[in-house]
């Protein structure tokens, strides 16, 4: 929102239009990236992609804050801690 306001201030245009163009480009680039990763078309409908994309973007801040609050990763039967460089190390539990 602040970037849209700044760009609109510099270019003298509507900040809401700048924000909408930013969201559209963000959405389209995520769609193109997914198509590249899938090596073709996506295996679900475009409507499903829109809903999933909006849900993911709305939950991103919540997930980020939760990851900072609880850095341990519980996966299958183990607990891991994420280290620098993206390496997960298993946490040894004391009995």
């Amino acid at each position: 929102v602040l970037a849209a306001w700044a760009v609109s201030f510099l270019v003298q245009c509507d900040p809401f239009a700048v924000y909408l163009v930013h969201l559209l480009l963000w959405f389209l680039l995520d769609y193109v990236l997914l198509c590249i990763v899938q090596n073709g078309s996506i295996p679900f409908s475009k409507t499903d992609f829109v809903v999933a994309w909006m849900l993911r973007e709305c939950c991103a801040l919540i997930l980020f804050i939760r990851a900072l609050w609880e850095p341990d990763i519980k996966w299958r039967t183990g607990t891991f801690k994420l280290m620098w460089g993206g390496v997960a190390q298993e946490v040894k539990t004391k009995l």
Side-chain angles (χ1 to χ4, degrees), residues 9 33 70:
F9 182 76
L33 182 63
E70 298 176 21

Side-chain angles (χ1 to χ4, degrees), residues 4-78:
W5 175 77
V7 169
S8 69
F9 182 76
L10 291 173
V11 186
Q12 301 298 322
C13 62
D14 185 28
F16 187 67
V18 173
Y19 186 69
L20 288 179
V21 168
H22 169 77
L23 282 179
L24 179 65
L25 284 172
W26 185 3
F27 172 79
L28 290 174
L29 289 174
D30 278 351
Y31 181 78
V32 168
L33 182 63
L34 182 62
C35 288
I36 290 170
V37 168
Q38 291 291 326
N39 201 16
S41 63
I42 55 177
F44 41 84
S45 72
K46 291 181 175 83
T47 306
D48 289 343
F49 176 75
V50 170
V51 171
W53 184 83
M54 289 175 63
L55 182 64
R56 183 194 69 190
E57 296 305 328
C58 289
C59 293
L61 181 61
I62 296 166
L63 291 173
F64 178 72
I65 291 170
R66 184 169 181 224
L68 290 175
W69 193 262
E70 298 176 21
D72 293 343
I73 302 165
K74 293 176 182 73
W75 185 63
R76 293 191 181 174
T77 59

